[in-house]
Amino acid sequence: MEKRAILPRDWYARDVITVSKELLGQILVRRIDGRILRCKITETEAYDGEKDLACHARAGRTPRTAILYGEPGIAYIYFVYGIHWCLNVVCHPLDDPAASLIRAVQPLGDEDWFAQTRPGIPTAHRTDGPAKLTAALKITGALNGTDFTDPGGELWIEQGKKESKADILASPRVGIDYVPEPWKSMPWRFRLRK
């Protein structure tokens, strides 16, 4: 597969809703064990700063959330439910915390890798959730703070296809039942129409 341009830092320094929609169709790249794995991003969720009661930044700057206040285009990876890693990309300019959760990807080749890292799981369901994609791509907290704009790193995002607005579905975010309205129902989950 041909190498594409890496999305620059200023691409992420925009409104998190816009970035989350435009991440759909872009290519998440993982360098691991001498391999380069590419996956098309198919689902995201936006988390919009301290005012968004579903965003980790709602509590302000803490040791855990400090990365959200940093440079855009950086990986924010956290552990959830004591068993899963979740991969986010920091958005907005410096000191304006926001992130887009990468919820699902579609592998572009390397079927043997995904069959090995997600054995016994049907191909269509190996990377169709945030914990599934981090397990398949061996993404853990060790990669927290990785620069998505660094082609020499272990994770980056390349320019993919710009998806049509008609092919993007919006709905409320998943797993935030504890959050009050209006945040609970904000239609900030974006996915590609199958």
Side-chain angles (χ1 to χ4, degrees), residues 141-183:
L143 294 174
N144 190 38
T146 297
D147 186 348
F148 279 111
T149 69
D150 178 7
E154 296 179 63
L155 280 173
W156 65 88
I157 299 177
E158 295 176 349
Q159 183 176 11
K161 175 187 171 197
K162 182 171 175 72
E163 299 292 339
S164 161
K165 288 181 182 179
D167 289 330
I168 297 174
L169 302 173
S171 60
R173 296 171 289 184
V174 177
I176 58 167
D177 291 339
Y178 60 92
V179 175
E181 297 293 356
W183 308 106

mmCIF file of all heavy atoms in Angstrom, residues 141-183:
data_model
loop_
_atom_site.group_PDB
_atom_site.id
_atom_site.type_symbol
_atom_site.label_atom_id
_atom_site.label_comp_id
_atom_site.label_asym_id
_atom_site.label_seq_id
_atom_site.Cartn_x
_atom_site.Cartn_y
_atom_site.Cartn_z
ATOM 1 N N GLY A 141 -1.241 1.852 27.471
ATOM 2 C CA GLY A 141 -0.857 3.115 28.074
ATOM 3 C C GLY A 141 0.597 3.485 27.846
ATOM 4 O O GLY A 141 0.970 4.652 27.999
ATOM 5 N N ALA A 142 1.417 2.521 27.465
ATOM 6 C CA ALA A 142 2.823 2.822 27.162
ATOM 7 C C ALA A 142 2.937 3.799 25.993
ATOM 8 O O ALA A 142 3.958 4.475 25.843
ATOM 9 C CB ALA A 142 3.582 1.530 26.847
ATOM 10 N N LEU A 143 1.888 3.889 25.170
ATOM 11 C CA LEU A 143 1.901 4.791 24.012
ATOM 12 C C LEU A 143 1.198 6.118 24.304
ATOM 13 O O LEU A 143 1.077 6.963 23.415
ATOM 14 C CB LEU A 143 1.251 4.111 22.802
ATOM 15 C CG LEU A 143 2.001 2.897 22.254
ATOM 16 C CD1 LEU A 143 1.204 2.216 21.147
ATOM 17 C CD2 LEU A 143 3.375 3.304 21.744
ATOM 18 N N ASN A 144 0.732 6.309 25.543
ATOM 19 C CA ASN A 144 0.105 7.576 25.906
ATOM 20 C C ASN A 144 1.099 8.704 25.659
ATOM 21 O O ASN A 144 2.263 8.617 26.047
ATOM 22 C CB ASN A 144 -0.310 7.552 27.379
ATOM 23 C CG ASN A 144 -1.164 8.725 27.766
ATOM 24 O OD1 ASN A 144 -2.007 9.184 27.004
ATOM 25 N ND2 ASN A 144 -0.947 9.235 28.972
ATOM 26 N N GLY A 145 0.668 9.768 24.991
ATOM 27 C CA GLY A 145 1.548 10.886 24.677
ATOM 28 C C GLY A 145 2.252 10.760 23.341
ATOM 29 O O GLY A 145 2.992 11.659 22.939
ATOM 30 N N THR A 146 2.015 9.666 22.613
ATOM 31 C CA THR A 146 2.614 9.500 21.290
ATOM 32 C C THR A 146 2.131 10.611 20.363
ATOM 33 O O THR A 146 0.966 10.988 20.374
ATOM 34 C CB THR A 146 2.223 8.122 20.696
ATOM 35 O OG1 THR A 146 2.758 7.097 21.528
ATOM 36 C CG2 THR A 146 2.754 7.947 19.284
ATOM 37 N N ASP A 147 3.034 11.120 19.550
ATOM 38 C CA ASP A 147 2.730 12.191 18.604
ATOM 39 C C ASP A 147 2.233 11.588 17.291
ATOM 40 O O ASP A 147 2.996 10.937 16.582
ATOM 41 C CB ASP A 147 3.985 13.027 18.373
ATOM 42 C CG ASP A 147 3.756 14.253 17.520
ATOM 43 O OD1 ASP A 147 2.681 14.375 16.889
ATOM 44 O OD2 ASP A 147 4.670 15.100 17.477
ATOM 45 N N PHE A 148 0.953 11.787 16.972
ATOM 46 C CA PHE A 148 0.383 11.247 15.738
ATOM 47 C C PHE A 148 0.971 11.893 14.483
ATOM 48 O O PHE A 148 0.699 11.435 13.385
ATOM 49 C CB PHE A 148 -1.138 11.455 15.720
ATOM 50 C CG PHE A 148 -1.922 10.441 16.500
ATOM 51 C CD1 PHE A 148 -2.569 10.813 17.670
ATOM 52 C CD2 PHE A 148 -2.053 9.132 16.073
ATOM 53 C CE1 PHE A 148 -3.321 9.899 18.388
ATOM 54 C CE2 PHE A 148 -2.793 8.211 16.779
ATOM 55 C CZ PHE A 148 -3.428 8.592 17.944
ATOM 56 N N THR A 149 1.737 12.971 14.631
ATOM 57 C CA THR A 149 2.306 13.646 13.455
ATOM 58 C C THR A 149 3.744 13.217 13.188
ATOM 59 O O THR A 149 4.383 13.725 12.277
ATOM 60 C CB THR A 149 2.244 15.181 13.616
ATOM 61 O OG1 THR A 149 3.153 15.597 14.638
ATOM 62 C CG2 THR A 149 0.838 15.649 13.948
ATOM 63 N N ASP A 150 4.262 12.270 13.966
ATOM 64 C CA ASP A 150 5.651 11.824 13.845
ATOM 65 C C ASP A 150 5.732 10.534 13.034
ATOM 66 O O ASP A 150 5.357 9.466 13.530
ATOM 67 C CB ASP A 150 6.233 11.603 15.249
ATOM 68 C CG ASP A 150 7.671 11.092 15.212
ATOM 69 O OD1 ASP A 150 8.284 11.028 14.120
ATOM 70 O OD2 ASP A 150 8.191 10.751 16.293
ATOM 71 N N PRO A 151 6.245 10.594 11.801
ATOM 72 C CA PRO A 151 6.329 9.390 10.975
ATOM 73 C C PRO A 151 7.334 8.362 11.487
ATOM 74 O O PRO A 151 7.338 7.220 11.054
ATOM 75 C CB PRO A 151 6.745 9.921 9.598
ATOM 76 C CG PRO A 151 7.485 11.183 9.905
ATOM 77 C CD PRO A 151 6.808 11.768 11.123
ATOM 78 N N GLY A 152 8.168 8.752 12.427
ATOM 79 C CA GLY A 152 9.139 7.817 12.996
ATOM 80 C C GLY A 152 8.629 7.132 14.246
ATOM 81 O O GLY A 152 9.328 6.312 14.831
ATOM 82 N N GLY A 153 7.400 7.461 14.642
ATOM 83 C CA GLY A 153 6.835 6.905 15.865
ATOM 84 C C GLY A 153 6.174 5.551 15.665
ATOM 85 O O GLY A 153 6.316 4.913 14.615
ATOM 86 N N GLU A 154 5.418 5.151 16.671
ATOM 87 C CA GLU A 154 4.724 3.859 16.626
ATOM 88 C C GLU A 154 3.266 3.993 16.210
ATOM 89 O O GLU A 154 2.612 2.993 15.918
ATOM 90 C CB GLU A 154 4.820 3.180 17.993
ATOM 91 C CG GLU A 154 6.245 2.820 18.380
ATOM 92 C CD GLU A 154 6.319 2.176 19.745
ATOM 93 O OE1 GLU A 154 5.738 1.082 19.916
ATOM 94 O OE2 GLU A 154 6.946 2.765 20.638
ATOM 95 N N LEU A 155 2.750 5.222 16.208
ATOM 96 C CA LEU A 155 1.370 5.504 15.800
ATOM 97 C C LEU A 155 1.344 6.813 15.029
ATOM 98 O O LEU A 155 1.980 7.783 15.456
ATOM 99 C CB LEU A 155 0.469 5.709 17.031
ATOM 100 C CG LEU A 155 -0.077 4.543 17.807
ATOM 101 C CD1 LEU A 155 -0.789 5.065 19.053
ATOM 102 C CD2 LEU A 155 -1.029 3.728 16.966
ATOM 103 N N TRP A 156 0.637 6.847 13.930
ATOM 104 C CA TRP A 156 0.385 8.109 13.251
ATOM 105 C C TRP A 156 -0.887 7.969 12.436
ATOM 106 O O TRP A 156 -1.437 6.879 12.315
ATOM 107 C CB TRP A 156 1.576 8.554 12.407
ATOM 108 C CG TRP A 156 1.943 7.687 11.246
ATOM 109 C CD1 TRP A 156 1.452 7.758 9.968
ATOM 110 C CD2 TRP A 156 2.915 6.626 11.228
ATOM 111 N NE1 TRP A 156 2.052 6.809 9.168
ATOM 112 C CE2 TRP A 156 2.944 6.113 9.909
ATOM 113 C CE3 TRP A 156 3.754 6.082 12.199
ATOM 114 C CZ2 TRP A 156 3.786 5.057 9.550
ATOM 115 C CZ3 TRP A 156 4.586 5.031 11.836
ATOM 116 C CH2 TRP A 156 4.599 4.533 10.532
ATOM 117 N N ILE A 157 -1.357 9.103 11.917
ATOM 118 C CA ILE A 157 -2.572 9.087 11.097
ATOM 119 C C ILE A 157 -2.257 9.720 9.750
ATOM 120 O O ILE A 157 -1.757 10.844 9.677
ATOM 121 C CB ILE A 157 -3.751 9.813 11.792
ATOM 122 C CG1 ILE A 157 -4.089 9.098 13.113
ATOM 123 C CG2 ILE A 157 -4.980 9.842 10.868
ATOM 124 C CD1 ILE A 157 -5.190 9.755 13.917
ATOM 125 N N GLU A 158 -2.543 8.954 8.710
ATOM 126 C CA GLU A 158 -2.313 9.413 7.338
ATOM 127 C C GLU A 158 -3.618 9.878 6.710
ATOM 128 O O GLU A 158 -4.702 9.442 7.096
ATOM 129 C CB GLU A 158 -1.741 8.272 6.493
ATOM 130 C CG GLU A 158 -0.371 7.820 6.941
ATOM 131 C CD GLU A 158 0.163 6.629 6.158
ATOM 132 O OE1 GLU A 158 -0.601 5.997 5.401
ATOM 133 O OE2 GLU A 158 1.352 6.329 6.323
ATOM 134 N N GLN A 159 -3.451 10.740 5.720
ATOM 135 C CA GLN A 159 -4.606 11.240 4.990
ATOM 136 C C GLN A 159 -5.256 10.101 4.219
ATOM 137 O O GLN A 159 -4.593 9.347 3.515
ATOM 138 C CB GLN A 159 -4.174 12.345 4.021
ATOM 139 C CG GLN A 159 -5.316 12.968 3.283
ATOM 140 C CD GLN A 159 -4.858 14.118 2.406
ATOM 141 O OE1 GLN A 159 -3.664 14.312 2.199
ATOM 142 N NE2 GLN A 159 -5.787 14.876 1.893
ATOM 143 N N GLY A 160 -6.554 9.971 4.400
ATOM 144 C CA GLY A 160 -7.322 8.960 3.668
ATOM 145 C C GLY A 160 -8.348 9.634 2.776
ATOM 146 O O GLY A 160 -8.153 10.758 2.335
ATOM 147 N N LYS A 161 -9.451 8.973 2.611
ATOM 148 C CA LYS A 161 -10.530 9.481 1.766
ATOM 149 C C LYS A 161 -11.417 10.433 2.567
ATOM 150 O O LYS A 161 -11.771 10.146 3.706
ATOM 151 C CB LYS A 161 -11.363 8.295 1.276
ATOM 152 C CG LYS A 161 -12.577 8.668 0.481
ATOM 153 C CD LYS A 161 -13.432 7.444 0.179
ATOM 154 C CE LYS A 161 -14.752 7.874 -0.431
ATOM 155 N NZ LYS A 161 -15.750 6.826 -0.390
ATOM 156 N N LYS A 162 -11.773 11.567 1.966
ATOM 157 C CA LYS A 162 -12.736 12.467 2.604
ATOM 158 C C LYS A 162 -14.116 11.874 2.367
ATOM 159 O O LYS A 162 -14.538 11.672 1.241
ATOM 160 C CB LYS A 162 -12.644 13.868 2.019
ATOM 161 C CG LYS A 162 -13.601 14.846 2.701
ATOM 162 C CD LYS A 162 -13.322 16.261 2.259
ATOM 163 C CE LYS A 162 -14.328 17.230 2.814
ATOM 164 N NZ LYS A 162 -14.210 17.476 4.220
ATOM 165 N N GLU A 163 -14.788 11.553 3.453
ATOM 166 C CA GLU A 163 -16.090 10.905 3.353
ATOM 167 C C GLU A 163 -17.196 11.921 3.103
ATOM 168 O O GLU A 163 -17.140 13.055 3.586
ATOM 169 C CB GLU A 163 -16.382 10.130 4.645
ATOM 170 C CG GLU A 163 -15.388 9.025 4.938
ATOM 171 C CD GLU A 163 -15.437 7.866 3.963
ATOM 172 O OE1 GLU A 163 -16.470 7.690 3.283
ATOM 173 O OE2 GLU A 163 -14.441 7.122 3.868
ATOM 174 N N SER A 164 -18.199 11.508 2.364
ATOM 175 C CA SER A 164 -19.359 12.349 2.081
ATOM 176 C C SER A 164 -20.181 12.522 3.358
ATOM 177 O O SER A 164 -20.330 11.589 4.147
ATOM 178 C CB SER A 164 -20.207 11.674 1.004
ATOM 179 O OG SER A 164 -21.512 12.189 1.005
ATOM 180 N N LYS A 165 -20.732 13.721 3.554
ATOM 181 C CA LYS A 165 -21.591 13.962 4.716
ATOM 182 C C LYS A 165 -22.760 12.978 4.742
ATOM 183 O O LYS A 165 -23.216 12.577 5.805
ATOM 184 C CB LYS A 165 -22.120 15.395 4.693
ATOM 185 C CG LYS A 165 -21.062 16.418 5.006
ATOM 186 C CD LYS A 165 -21.642 17.819 4.992
ATOM 187 C CE LYS A 165 -20.544 18.833 5.273
ATOM 188 N NZ LYS A 165 -21.047 20.216 5.241
ATOM 189 N N ALA A 166 -23.223 12.573 3.578
ATOM 190 C CA ALA A 166 -24.351 11.634 3.497
ATOM 191 C C ALA A 166 -23.983 10.252 4.018
ATOM 192 O O ALA A 166 -24.865 9.470 4.374
ATOM 193 C CB ALA A 166 -24.841 11.533 2.053
ATOM 194 N N ASP A 167 -22.692 9.941 4.072
ATOM 195 C CA ASP A 167 -22.239 8.633 4.536
ATOM 196 C C ASP A 167 -21.858 8.616 6.011
ATOM 197 O O ASP A 167 -21.360 7.622 6.526
ATOM 198 C CB ASP A 167 -21.045 8.163 3.698
ATOM 199 C CG ASP A 167 -21.464 7.799 2.286
ATOM 200 O OD1 ASP A 167 -22.615 7.368 2.098
ATOM 201 O OD2 ASP A 167 -20.636 7.956 1.362
ATOM 202 N N ILE A 168 -22.072 9.742 6.715
ATOM 203 C CA ILE A 168 -21.726 9.831 8.128
ATOM 204 C C ILE A 168 -22.999 9.858 8.970
ATOM 205 O O ILE A 168 -23.874 10.700 8.770
ATOM 206 C CB ILE A 168 -20.880 11.091 8.411
ATOM 207 C CG1 ILE A 168 -19.552 11.001 7.639
ATOM 208 C CG2 ILE A 168 -20.626 11.244 9.900
ATOM 209 C CD1 ILE A 168 -18.698 12.245 7.719
ATOM 210 N N LEU A 169 -23.100 8.910 9.884
ATOM 211 C CA LEU A 169 -24.243 8.835 10.792
ATOM 212 C C LEU A 169 -23.838 9.428 12.138
ATOM 213 O O LEU A 169 -22.733 9.172 12.628
ATOM 214 C CB LEU A 169 -24.667 7.380 10.989
ATOM 215 C CG LEU A 169 -25.046 6.613 9.724
ATOM 216 C CD1 LEU A 169 -25.280 5.150 10.049
ATOM 217 C CD2 LEU A 169 -26.270 7.228 9.079
ATOM 218 N N ALA A 170 -24.716 10.200 12.744
ATOM 219 C CA ALA A 170 -24.464 10.792 14.060
ATOM 220 C C ALA A 170 -25.484 10.257 15.056
ATOM 221 O O ALA A 170 -26.657 10.077 14.713
ATOM 222 C CB ALA A 170 -24.551 12.311 13.980
ATOM 223 N N SER A 171 -25.041 10.005 16.280
ATOM 224 C CA SER A 171 -25.921 9.510 17.328
ATOM 225 C C SER A 171 -25.302 9.861 18.680
ATOM 226 O O SER A 171 -24.159 10.322 18.744
ATOM 227 C CB SER A 171 -26.116 7.999 17.199
ATOM 228 O OG SER A 171 -24.874 7.331 17.318
ATOM 229 N N PRO A 172 -26.016 9.644 19.794
ATOM 230 C CA PRO A 172 -25.433 9.906 21.107
ATOM 231 C C PRO A 172 -24.233 8.987 21.379
ATOM 232 O O PRO A 172 -24.146 7.881 20.852
ATOM 233 C CB PRO A 172 -26.582 9.604 22.075
ATOM 234 C CG PRO A 172 -27.810 9.849 21.272
ATOM 235 C CD PRO A 172 -27.463 9.356 19.889
ATOM 236 N N ARG A 173 -23.352 9.460 22.229
ATOM 237 C CA ARG A 173 -22.158 8.702 22.586
ATOM 238 C C ARG A 173 -22.530 7.474 23.429
ATOM 239 O O ARG A 173 -23.581 7.437 24.053
ATOM 240 C CB ARG A 173 -21.180 9.609 23.337
ATOM 241 C CG ARG A 173 -20.678 10.738 22.445
ATOM 242 C CD ARG A 173 -19.894 11.781 23.201
ATOM 243 N NE ARG A 173 -20.750 12.578 24.073
ATOM 244 C CZ ARG A 173 -20.320 13.613 24.781
ATOM 245 N NH1 ARG A 173 -19.049 13.973 24.728
ATOM 246 N NH2 ARG A 173 -21.155 14.289 25.550
ATOM 247 N N VAL A 174 -21.646 6.501 23.438
ATOM 248 C CA VAL A 174 -21.887 5.218 24.090
ATOM 249 C C VAL A 174 -21.258 5.185 25.488
ATOM 250 O O VAL A 174 -20.185 5.739 25.707
ATOM 251 C CB VAL A 174 -21.281 4.083 23.223
ATOM 252 C CG1 VAL A 174 -21.432 2.733 23.892
ATOM 253 C CG2 VAL A 174 -21.904 4.077 21.842
ATOM 254 N N GLY A 175 -21.932 4.521 26.431
ATOM 255 C CA GLY A 175 -21.349 4.251 27.742
ATOM 256 C C GLY A 175 -21.257 5.439 28.677
ATOM 257 O O GLY A 175 -20.399 5.451 29.572
ATOM 258 N N ILE A 176 -22.130 6.427 28.494
ATOM 259 C CA ILE A 176 -22.073 7.601 29.372
ATOM 260 C C ILE A 176 -23.425 7.826 30.060
ATOM 261 O O ILE A 176 -23.858 8.959 30.249
ATOM 262 C CB ILE A 176 -21.619 8.866 28.615
ATOM 263 C CG1 ILE A 176 -22.552 9.182 27.436
ATOM 264 C CG2 ILE A 176 -20.181 8.717 28.137
ATOM 265 C CD1 ILE A 176 -22.353 10.561 26.846
ATOM 266 N N ASP A 177 -24.071 6.760 30.463
ATOM 267 C CA ASP A 177 -25.384 6.857 31.113
ATOM 268 C C ASP A 177 -25.351 7.655 32.416
ATOM 269 O O ASP A 177 -26.371 8.172 32.858
ATOM 270 C CB ASP A 177 -25.944 5.458 31.388
ATOM 271 C CG ASP A 177 -26.322 4.742 30.100
ATOM 272 O OD1 ASP A 177 -26.535 5.426 29.084
ATOM 273 O OD2 ASP A 177 -26.389 3.504 30.125
ATOM 274 N N TYR A 178 -24.188 7.776 33.027
ATOM 275 C CA TYR A 178 -24.036 8.509 34.284
ATOM 276 C C TYR A 178 -24.046 10.036 34.081
ATOM 277 O O TYR A 178 -24.129 10.800 35.037
ATOM 278 C CB TYR A 178 -22.713 8.121 34.954
ATOM 279 C CG TYR A 178 -21.502 8.441 34.101
ATOM 280 C CD1 TYR A 178 -20.844 9.658 34.223
ATOM 281 C CD2 TYR A 178 -21.033 7.525 33.155
ATOM 282 C CE1 TYR A 178 -19.754 9.963 33.419
ATOM 283 C CE2 TYR A 178 -19.953 7.818 32.363
ATOM 284 C CZ TYR A 178 -19.310 9.042 32.500
ATOM 285 O OH TYR A 178 -18.242 9.340 31.700
ATOM 286 N N VAL A 179 -23.953 10.488 32.838
ATOM 287 C CA VAL A 179 -23.831 11.913 32.531
ATOM 288 C C VAL A 179 -25.218 12.552 32.405
ATOM 289 O O VAL A 179 -26.105 11.984 31.772
ATOM 290 C CB VAL A 179 -23.037 12.094 31.214
ATOM 291 C CG1 VAL A 179 -22.979 13.543 30.795
ATOM 292 C CG2 VAL A 179 -21.636 11.535 31.365
ATOM 293 N N PRO A 180 -25.412 13.747 32.987
ATOM 294 C CA PRO A 180 -26.714 14.416 32.860
ATOM 295 C C PRO A 180 -26.921 14.997 31.464
ATOM 296 O O PRO A 180 -25.975 15.147 30.691
ATOM 297 C CB PRO A 180 -26.643 15.526 33.917
ATOM 298 C CG PRO A 180 -25.187 15.841 34.038
ATOM 299 C CD PRO A 180 -24.474 14.526 33.823
ATOM 300 N N GLU A 181 -28.161 15.327 31.180
ATOM 301 C CA GLU A 181 -28.483 16.031 29.943
ATOM 302 C C GLU A 181 -27.973 17.470 30.052
ATOM 303 O O GLU A 181 -27.835 17.987 31.148
ATOM 304 C CB GLU A 181 -30.004 16.012 29.713
ATOM 305 C CG GLU A 181 -30.582 14.629 29.528
ATOM 306 C CD GLU A 181 -30.132 13.925 28.252
ATOM 307 O OE1 GLU A 181 -29.406 14.538 27.421
ATOM 308 O OE2 GLU A 181 -30.476 12.768 28.073
ATOM 309 N N PRO A 182 -27.644 18.122 28.949
ATOM 310 C CA PRO A 182 -27.839 17.652 27.583
ATOM 311 C C PRO A 182 -26.708 16.776 27.071
ATOM 312 O O PRO A 182 -26.768 16.250 25.970
ATOM 313 C CB PRO A 182 -27.906 18.956 26.778
ATOM 314 C CG PRO A 182 -26.937 19.846 27.500
ATOM 315 C CD PRO A 182 -27.116 19.504 28.969
ATOM 316 N N TRP A 183 -25.648 16.614 27.884
ATOM 317 C CA TRP A 183 -24.434 15.923 27.437
ATOM 318 C C TRP A 183 -24.688 14.464 27.087
ATOM 319 O O TRP A 183 -24.096 13.931 26.148
ATOM 320 C CB TRP A 183 -23.340 16.073 28.491
ATOM 321 C CG TRP A 183 -23.169 17.512 28.829
ATOM 322 C CD1 TRP A 183 -23.588 18.140 29.975
ATOM 323 C CD2 TRP A 183 -22.644 18.524 27.981
ATOM 324 N NE1 TRP A 183 -23.325 19.479 29.898
ATOM 325 C CE2 TRP A 183 -22.743 19.757 28.677
ATOM 326 C CE3 TRP A 183 -22.089 18.535 26.702
ATOM 327 C CZ2 TRP A 183 -22.316 20.956 28.148
ATOM 328 C CZ3 TRP A 183 -21.654 19.731 26.166
ATOM 329 C CH2 TRP A 183 -21.768 20.921 26.878
#
